Structure formats: C-alpha cells, structure tokens
Amino acid sequence: MGDALTDFLSTRGVHSRPLRALLAALASAPVPFDDLVRASAQPRRTVEELLAACGAEVVSAGGTWRSVESAAQRFLELAEPPPAREAAAAIAGYVADVPTARRALDHVQADAATALRRAEWLDETYWLDGAHLVCVGDHDLTALAACTLRPGLRATVVDVDEALLSYVDSVARERGLDIRCLHADFRFGLPPLAVGSADLVFTDPPYTPEGMRLFLSRGVEALSSLDGRLLVAYGYSARNPALGLKTQREVLDLGLVFEAVLPHFNRYHGAQAVGSASDLYVLQPTSRSPRLAEAGIGIYTHGPQSLEAGDTAPEAVAELLRLTGEGATLLGPGWSEPIRSGNAVAVDLMGDPGPWLARTLVAGPSARLGALVPNNHPDITNAAGQQALKSLVAGKYDIAFHRSLADGKHAVVLATPVATTPGEPTPVRRTLLDRAHGKLANVWREALIRATPGLTKREAKARVEAAAPDLGDLEVRLIDLPLHRLRAVLDASD
C-alpha cells in the first residue's frame, strides 16, 4: 500500500513528470500557486489534486506553497529517478552495427544522433520508470536507446525483420535491458501480448497514407488506455504539401489529436527526397480511435484477394495447385479462414518480404501444403537455406523444393505432413508446431502430459520452466517469437 502522494503519481503514469518537477520546486523554495500552474502547464484542478495528495507534507501561506522540512528529501527523490547511464557512445555503437534492412522493407536508417535525441526527449517529457514502450517497427533502435538512457523503462519491439529482432534481442541481453522482441507483419495483426499493453508507442512508418494508417492502427491497438500517446516520425517534401495533407488526414481519420509537431526532429542516412529529415508527431487518442483503427486495417485483404497476391502469373498459380494436389484450397498470405485437417492448402506468397515462408510452415495445418514463392527467395536459393527450413519444421513436415517453374521466376515449396504412429504419444515438438497459435506455456505443458504417462500438471510445468531457454517466452505464442527464439524453443522441447 502506498501513501496518497505516491498513489496519485502512479495514477498519472507517464504523465506524472511535470507534477514530479513541481515537487522538486516545492522542496527547494516557496512557490506561488499561480507559478505552479504556469511552470507545469497542467490544469489548475490537477495541481490542486497534487497538493491535496501531499497532505501535511506541504503548507501554504498567502497563496504560496512549500514542503515541510521533513518532506523535502522525499519530494526530491520522487521528482527524479537515479541518474541515467552515459548513453551516447553506447547508442552510437548500436546504430553502427545494426544489420541492413532487407530491400523489400524499404527502410531508411535514422542516424545515431536521432536515436539519442528520441531517447532524451522521451525521458524529459514522460516518466519512464516502470512504463512500457511498444515500438511498432524499430530498425532505428529507439527501444535500445530509450532503455539504455532510462533502464527502468520496459520495451517491446515488434518487427517483421528477423535479423533486426535477433540483433536487438542480443544487445538487450548483453546490456541487461528489459526489452522483449516479437515478430509480426502488421498487415496480418499485432501479437496478442502487445495488444493493450503500452503506455507509449513509437513508430516510423512507411511514408504513404496507407502505411501511416496501418502502422498507426496497430499503434492504437497497442495502447493500454486513452491516456497513452503515439509518437510518430513522418516527413514529406516541402515541394509536395498535398501528400503531407493526405497523410495527415489519415491521422485525423483515426480520431487522433495532434498534441505536438516537432519539425525536422529525425535525421536519416538517405531519404533525400524529404531532405533526409522527418517531423515528430505527438498524437493523443480519443474514444473513437480504437473503433476507427480496427476498421482502418481492412485496407489489406487476407486471402487470394490480398494486394500481394493479386499480380501473380496465372500459370504459376496453376502449377502451385497442380503440385499441391487436387482439391487444394488457394489462399493468400496471413490467411484467416479456418482450415479443416486433411484439406490440402496452396498459399500464394509471391509478395513475401522474407519471413512469410518459414512462418507459414510453422503455422500450417496438418495437411499437404504448397507455398508459391519467388525463385530467389532467400530461404531456398542455396543448400544451407533449404536445410534450415527443413530443420525448422522437422517432425511436422517433409519438405521438397520445386524451383524455376513457369517463367523461371517462381518456385513451389511442398510440405507433406509427417505421419504419426497410431497409439503412440505425439512428440512434444510436433504438438508445439501443430498448435503454434496457443500460449506456449500451456501448449508445452499439455504436450508433455500427453507424451508422458502419469505426469502431473505441476510436474509438467516444472519441466517446461526448466527446459525453456527464456521463461519470458512462455507467455507468448510460438508463432510470435523471433525466429532465433522459436528455433531455441523447439530444440529445447526435443
């Protein structure tokens, strides 16, 4: 149980920083009430609530307030957490070593000074100790920068780039930072663990109206309440204000309020069409935002009518269906339709930016599955890539590769389910792969119980926790883990 003051500050969350600054002022000298309002830029009623929460720890005389002597040190401690680490050199090192984004992701890297500036601005504006920051895409390493500057911050990085997730995860572990990495393609959804979890969301989306709407929709989905804020990097050329207007309308159409615009806040290596710079938007959600965000995601259609699937050569699709087998259901990436066990599935992944193929196989049904991919897809162009794909789903599928089909630009990866022995327990690894959308802790525990006669729930839970490479992964669905973590879990389950 906290006292009235700490409880009040806790209810203000990330927005308590200006009120904590008032406590420091009260601990230092008497302050007129009008100056408290003006200095904090907070509504009069909020300042009155703060003073009421202080109780006997503050006194007033003639409209001037100060802390009592015994409370001064406590006020100073509440006003500022322990000094932040020296961060500039570390952040410069992060940015220097970040893996290059795949060309298909069309990302331009922010410079190290921008990563540091974002972290410092967040720390100066919000109370970050105990807060949760979700980065909707984070090749600019905002989470690493912010958590290095303020180690009491917790962050989740959600991205489609496996190399980036592996890099952020490795650096965070090395430095002891509280950062979780999750995989997602935002066209197909946000990992459930990230939904409704964030005090703050940071994103640097594609600079198109569609990209802005999609990333902001996912950002709204990630916020835990309407008190949260979305911090968005966006730039447009002064030579094309009509594009800026169109994109900003997408912001307003999501029921978001422009709380602030910081011009030319972000700088990039590249993006010269927009002056290698972008603004920082501070956006406040309204009660309409969650509903509007949910509706807005429909611009991407899952299944065979998806934007990515629409331009596939008909002869390539015909070859996909022939190889997959008679009666195969044709789907696009990120399908949402239920698939009955035993029905063959053909999936058009010609728009795959890299990670879809492996995750389609992880999430696929216990049925024959054919995936149409570009002939130069990185997972199939050499023996090492093919073997890595086979080992990922070993025990679930046998994989065959049919390359240079149709016009030579297409390939089909054919996955045939591995038969299980009737009457024999299903291997734990196979159960994890067959139920990749279930909470990992529960699926793993139940798989152990089924595979081990006489094992109790408590014993199974203890075995899972002992075997798990990272206990934090047990809270997540297998399909949401970065690929390097996903492989580690499967290896540990054998």
Side-chain angles (χ1 to χ4, degrees):
M1 292 286 293
D3 59 56
L5 178 56
T6 56
D7 287 348
F8 174 72
L9 294 173
S10 178
T11 63
R12 300 292 299 176
V14 294
H15 302 293
S16 68
R17 177 165 284 288
L19 298 177
R20 293 173 185 270
L22 290 189
L23 294 180
L26 290 169
S28 303
V31 185
F33 181 85
D34 291 351
D35 288 354
L36 291 175
V37 173
R38 184 165 49 252
S40 65
Q42 298 296 299
R44 176 188 181 91
R45 184 175 175 183
T46 301
V47 177
E48 289 173 340
E49 290 172 346
L50 173 68
L51 295 172
C54 291
E57 292 183 293
V58 295
V59 293
S60 66
T64 296
W65 292 80
R66 64 174 176 83
S67 70
V68 299
E69 186 174 348
S70 60
Q73 185 57 39
R74 184 168 103 94
F75 279 17
L76 291 172
E77 291 171 354
L78 287 171
E80 182 61 33
R85 301 176 186 174
E86 177 59 41
I91 293 170
Y94 302 160
V95 174
D97 295 337
V98 66
T100 302
R102 285 184 173 177
R103 186 174 181 181
L105 300 178
D106 194 27
H107 177 80
V108 178
Q109 186 69 45
D111 61 23
T114 293
L116 176 61
R117 185 160 53 250
R118 289 177 180 176
E120 290 176 336
W121 185 87
L122 285 167
D123 190 50
E124 292 165 1
T125 307
Y126 303 107
W127 185 257
L128 297 183
D129 269 33
H132 184 210
L133 169 70
V134 170
C135 290
V136 178
D138 194 25
H139 210 281
D140 295 335
L141 310 181
T142 302
L144 281 176
C147 288
T148 298
L149 186 69
R150 187 56 65 193
L153 173 67
R154 178 170 61 95
T156 296
V157 172
V158 189
D159 206 290
V160 73
D161 189 333
E162 296 285 4
L164 172 72
L165 293 172
S166 178
Y167 177 74
V168 172
D169 191 37
S170 174
V171 173
R173 284 169 171 267
E174 179 183 339
R175 296 189 64 93
L177 304 176
D178 192 355
I179 299 177
R180 183 197 298 275
C181 293
L182 299 175
H183 179 277
D185 186 312
F186 300 127
R187 288 166 285 198
F188 309 137
L190 195 68
L193 200 67
V195 174
S197 69
D199 301 296
L200 300 168
V201 171
F202 200 104
T203 187
D204 195 337
Y207 288 177
T208 64
E210 297 82 3
M212 176 70 89
R213 186 173 189 91
L214 178 64
F215 276 57
L216 285 186
S217 294
R218 295 307 183 198
V220 169
E221 190 178 358
L223 288 174
S224 61
S225 73
L226 297 181
D227 289 330
R229 294 293 185 271
L230 283 84
L231 300 313
V232 184
Y234 174 69
Y236 62 92
S237 170
R239 302 169 69 92
N240 189 10
L243 176 60
L245 176 62
K246 186 175 182 181
T247 303
Q248 290 177 3
R249 280 177 174 162
E250 295 291 350
V251 176
L252 297 175
D253 286 346
L254 286 170
L256 296 168
V257 177
F258 283 85
E259 189 172 77
V261 177
L262 284 63
H264 301 158
F265 186 92
N266 309 282
R267 302 302 171 97
Y268 302 91
H269 297 291
Q272 293 184 354
V274 294
S276 300
S278 72
D279 303 334
L280 180 66
Y281 292 175
V282 183
L283 305 177
Q284 180 179 7
T286 64
S287 59
R288 301 171 62 234
S289 298
R291 176 177 53 82
L292 293 171
E294 184 178 353
I297 293 169
I299 62 172
Y300 287 89
T301 304
H302 297 179
Q305 300 303 316
S306 67
L307 296 177
E308 293 78 11
D311 296 329
T312 302
E315 58 270 25
V317 174
E319 193 71 359
L320 167 67
L321 292 172
R322 183 187 71 79
L323 288 168
T324 305
E326 185 177 353
T329 301
L330 178 63
L331 300 171
W335 71 81
S336 57
E337 299 89 341
I339 305 299
R340 293 181 181 179
S341 180
N343 286 9
V345 175
V347 189
D348 183 352
L349 300 181
M350 283 303 295
D352 187 358
W356 292 354
L357 175 57
R359 292 181 181 277
T360 295
L361 294 173
V362 169
S366 297
R368 189 174 175 87
L369 186 150
L372 182 69
V373 296
N375 200 49
N376 62 351
H377 190 286
D379 286 346
I380 69 170
T381 53
N382 55 50
Q386 293 181 9
Q387 183 55 43
L389 200 61
K390 288 181 177 180
S391 67
L392 175 66
V393 292
K396 177 180 181 178
Y397 290 126
D398 289 325
I399 304 293
F401 301 91
H402 301 265
R403 302 199 54 208
S404 301
L405 302 177
D407 55 3
K409 296 180 180 179
H410 301 78
V412 170
V413 178
L414 199 59
T416 304
V418 174
T420 56
T421 305
E424 292 291 326
T426 302
V428 173
R429 180 190 183 98
R430 174 65 180 267
T431 301
L432 294 183
L433 286 166
D434 283 345
R435 297 179 58 192
H437 287 86
K439 183 179 177 181
L440 182 55
N442 297 341
V443 175
W444 197 343
R445 185 191 67 231
E446 292 169 16
L448 275 175
I449 291 172
R450 292 178 182 176
T452 313
L455 192 68
T456 67
K457 284 188 176 181
R458 179 176 294 180
E459 291 168 339
K461 181 175 182 288
R463 286 195 189 183
V464 168
E465 292 177 351
D470 190 299
L471 291 178
D473 291 343
L474 297 177
E475 304 172 20
V476 186
R477 305 185 308 176
L478 184 71
I479 195 66
D480 296 328
L481 288 174
L483 203 55
H484 68 286
R485 290 285 195 98
L486 192 156
R487 289 184 184 276
V489 165
L490 293 175
D491 290 345
S493 73
D494 287 336

